[in-house]
C-alpha cells in the first residue's frame, strides 16, 4: 500500500497528504477563459483519444453518464485551451452502452479498442467483469467508478491480467459497513432520537444492491441497532404503496431503501411524504445524487438522507469546481449532480498528469504503473489505488479493510440530507456543509 509518495493535486503539483486540502483550482485554466488565447497545439499532431462508454439510449443510467460525460468534457476543454497534453489535443469517443447487459458492456469496450483509444473513462456498468475481460485484449488505462467489490476482487485474484483496471472510488460494501456508524453519529447529534433500535432495509435485486445488503448484515450486529426486517423489491417499481405499508407495520426507527434509480426514489418520496412512518430516519441509497431526483421529487424530497462513496467535496476545491461546472452547464444551476461530474473531471486530469510524466501516452504499461504509484487528490478526494484491490481507500474507517484513518489519506463517503430543496453534506464532520435537521415527518 502506498505511503503517499508521489501524491499529486488538482494543480499538478506534488503535495503531502496533510497539505492536500489546502490546494485550490486556481492554477487550472477555466473552461472558456483560455479559448481566445493563441493556439499552442502543434498543427497536424496526433490527437489523444479517450473512450467514454455512455448510456445514450437506455431508460436508465443516462443521468449518471451525462454527469460523467459533462465533467469529462469540462476537463478536456480546459486542457485543450491551455495547449493540450504534450502539444496534443484530447478528443472523446462515446460509444453507447446498456449498463445491465454484459454483451453491451463488452461491445462498448471493444468499440474503444477498435478506435485505438489511449485510455478509457467510464462512470460504471453493472457487468464490470465482462467489460474488464474485453479490455484485457488491449490494456490501455481503464479508469472507472464501478463501486463494485466483485470487480476489484477479480483484480486481487489476478493483478497481472487486470493491471490496467482502476476503480477510482471505494466499493459498494462500504455503504453497508458504514451505515450503522452513521446512524450512531446522527443519534449523537441529539437531533434524531430513535424511537427504537430497529432497522428496516428495502433491497432491490441487482447484484450491487444485494452486496450492500450483505455488508449491512455483517456490520449491524457489531452496532447497538438490530436488523428487524428485509423487504425485497424488483426494478422497475411501479407502486410503492405495498412497501410503505410494510414500513409502517415494522415501524423501525431507521429505514434504508437500498435501490439505485433516481426517478423511482422520487416516486417513493412523494408517496412516503403523503403517508410517512413517524419519527423514522430514512436513508436512500445513492440514487438521489442524480439531478432528476430533485426535479421529479420536488418538495417531497425534503429531509431525506442519502450517501455516496464518490462525490464532489464541499471544500474550496470542490466549490470552485461546482462553480465552473454550472458556468459551463447552466441548466444544472441549483441541481448539479455531485458524483460523476467530479469523477469524469478527475479522471481526465489524472490521465493528463500520467501522460506528461511518462511522455509516452502510447506506453500503456508505463502509464498504468505511474497511476498506481502516484495517488491523486481531485475534486472528489484522494484516489490512492496502490493496494490489493486497486480501488480508492475509504474514509471514515469502518473497520472492514482498505480504509483510510484520515480524510486526506482516502476518499470520503459523503452523507447528505436534502435541506431547503438542495443537497447538503452533513457528515463526516471534516467536510460537512451543514448538520442533520429534523425531517418533516418527525
Amino acid at each position: 500500500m502506498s505511503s503517499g509518495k508521489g501524491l499529486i493535486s488538482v494543480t499538478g503539483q506534488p503535495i503531502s497528504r496533510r497539505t492536500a486540502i489546502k490546494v485550490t483550482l486556481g492554477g487550472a485554466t477555466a473552461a472558456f477563459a483560455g479559448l481566445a488565447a493563441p493556439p499552442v497545439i502543434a498543427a497536424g499532431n496526433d490527437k489523444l483519444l479517450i473512450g467514454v462508454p455512455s448510456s445514450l439510449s437506455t431508460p436508465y443510467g443516462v443521468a449518471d453518464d451525462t454527469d460523467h460525460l459533462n465533467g469529462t468534457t469540462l476537463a478536456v476543454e480546459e486542457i485543450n485551451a491551455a495547449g493540450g497534453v504534450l502539444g496534443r489535443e484530447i478528443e472523446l469517443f462515446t460509444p453507447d452502452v446498456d449498463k445491465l447487459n454484459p454483451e453491451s458492456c463488452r461491445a462498448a469496450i471493444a468499440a474503444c479498442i477498435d478506435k485505438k483509444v489511449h485510455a478509457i473513462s467510464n462512470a460504471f456498468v453493472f457487468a464490470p467483469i465482462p467489460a474488464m475481460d474485453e479490455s484485457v485484449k488491449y490494456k490501455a488505462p481503464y479508469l472507472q467508478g464501478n463501486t463494485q467489490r466483485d470487480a476489484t476482487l477479480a483484480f486481487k485474484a489476478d493483478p497481472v491480467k487486470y493491471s490496467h483496471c482502476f476503480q477510482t472510488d471505494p466499493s459498494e460494501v462500504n455503504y453497508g459497513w458504514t451505515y450503522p456508524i452513521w446512524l450512531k453519529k446522527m443519534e449523537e447529534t441529539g437531533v434524531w432520537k430513535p424511537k427504537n433500535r430497529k432497522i428496516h432495509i428495502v433491497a432491490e435485486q441487482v447484484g450491487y444492491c444485494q452486496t450492500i445488503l450483505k455488508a449491512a448484515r455483517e456490520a449491524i450486529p457489531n452496532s447497538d441497532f438490530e436488523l428487524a426486517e428485509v423487504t425485497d423489491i424488483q426494478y422497475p417499481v411501479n407502486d410503492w404503496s405495498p412497501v410503505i405499508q410494510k414500513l409502517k407495520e415494522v415501524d423501525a426507527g431507521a429505514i434504508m431503501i437500498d435501490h439505485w434509480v433516481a426517478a423511482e426514489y422520487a416516486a417513493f418520496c412523494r408517496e412516503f411524504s403523503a403517508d410517512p412512518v413517524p419519527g423514522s430516519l430514512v436513508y436512500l441509497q445513492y440514487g438521489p445524487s442524480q439531478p432528476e431526483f430533485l426535479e421529479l421529487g420536488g418538495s417531497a424530497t425534503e429531509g431525506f438522507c442519502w450517501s455516496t462513496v464518490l462525490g464532489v467535496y464541499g471544500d474550496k476545491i470542490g466549490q470552485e469546481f461546482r462553480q465552473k461546472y454550472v458556468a459551463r452547464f447552466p441548466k444544472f444551476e441549483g441541481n448539479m449532480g455531485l458524483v460523476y461530474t467530479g469523477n469524469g473531471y478527475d479522471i481526465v486530469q489524472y490521465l493528463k498528469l500520467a501522460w506528461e510524466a511518462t511522455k509516452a501516452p502510447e506506453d500503456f504499461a508505463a502509464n498504468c504503473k505511474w497511476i498506481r504509484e502516484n495517488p491523486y487528490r481531485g475534486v472528489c478526494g484522494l484516489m490512492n489505488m496502490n493496494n490489493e484491490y486497486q480501488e480508492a481507500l475509504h474514509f471514515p474507517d469502518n473497520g472492514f479493510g482498505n480504509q483510510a484513518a484520515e480524510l486526506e489519506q482516502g476518499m470520503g463517503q459523503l452523507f447528505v440530507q436534502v435541506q431547503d430543496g438542495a443537497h447538503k453534506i452533513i457528515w463526516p464532520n471534516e467536510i460537512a456543509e451543514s448538520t442533520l435537521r429534523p425531517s418533516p415527518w418527525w
Side-chain angles (χ1 to χ4, degrees), residues 63-209:
D64 280 321
D65 281 3
T66 297
D67 283 352
H68 188 84
L69 187 55
N70 286 350
T72 301
T73 299
L74 177 59
V76 168
E77 289 176 348
E78 287 183 3
I79 292 167
N80 286 345
V85 179
L86 305 173
R88 299 167 69 175
E89 190 174 16
I90 301 176
E91 279 194 351
L92 302 179
F93 169 63
T94 56
D96 195 8
V97 64
D98 180 338
K99 294 179 179 296
L100 289 172
N101 186 311
E103 186 52 43
S104 178
C105 295
R106 183 180 292 109
I109 300 300
C112 291
I113 296 173
D114 289 344
K115 282 287 187 179
K116 295 182 169 55
V117 301
H118 294 84
I120 298 171
S121 173
N122 177 237
F124 67 92
V125 293
F126 282 124
I129 295 176
M132 290 165 59
D133 284 343
E134 187 68 28
S135 72
V136 166
K137 302 173 183 177
Y138 191 56
K139 303 203 91 169
Y142 178 15
L143 283 70
Q144 33 67 25
N146 276 331
T147 329
Q148 292 173 68
R149 181 52 63 84
D150 280 351
T152 59
L153 280 171
F155 168 82
K156 182 180 179 181
D158 197 339
V160 174
K161 178 180 179 180
Y162 298 117
S163 60
H164 61 297
C165 296
F166 296 89
Q167 183 172 287
T168 59
D169 63 335
S171 284
E172 83 282 62
V173 285
N174 290 289
Y175 287 121
W177 290 338
T178 313
Y179 177 66
I181 297 174
W182 174 71
L183 290 180
K184 188 65 177 177
K185 293 296 182 181
M186 294 304 98
E187 182 180 11
E188 289 172 357
T189 67
V191 176
W192 175 54
K193 298 177 174 61
K195 59 187 177 184
N196 55 52
R197 315 304 294 178
K198 296 191 294 185
I199 295 172
H200 188 169
I201 299 179
V202 178
E204 211 273 320
Q205 299 306 295
V206 70
Y208 167 85
C209 295

Side-chain angles (χ1 to χ4, degrees), residues 3 81 83 144 147 161 203 231 248 267 284 317 329 337 351 377 379 410:
S3 63
Q144 33 67 25
T147 329
K161 178 180 179 180
T231 299
K248 293 174 76 69
L284 311 175
I317 299 173
F329 303 102
L351 289 169
R377 176 30 161 112
V379 301

Side-chain angles (χ1 to χ4, degrees), residues 349-361:
Q349 299 290 356
Y350 208 169
L351 289 169
K352 172 182 180 289
L353 292 174
W355 290 333
E356 289 175 340
T358 65
K359 295 181 170 54

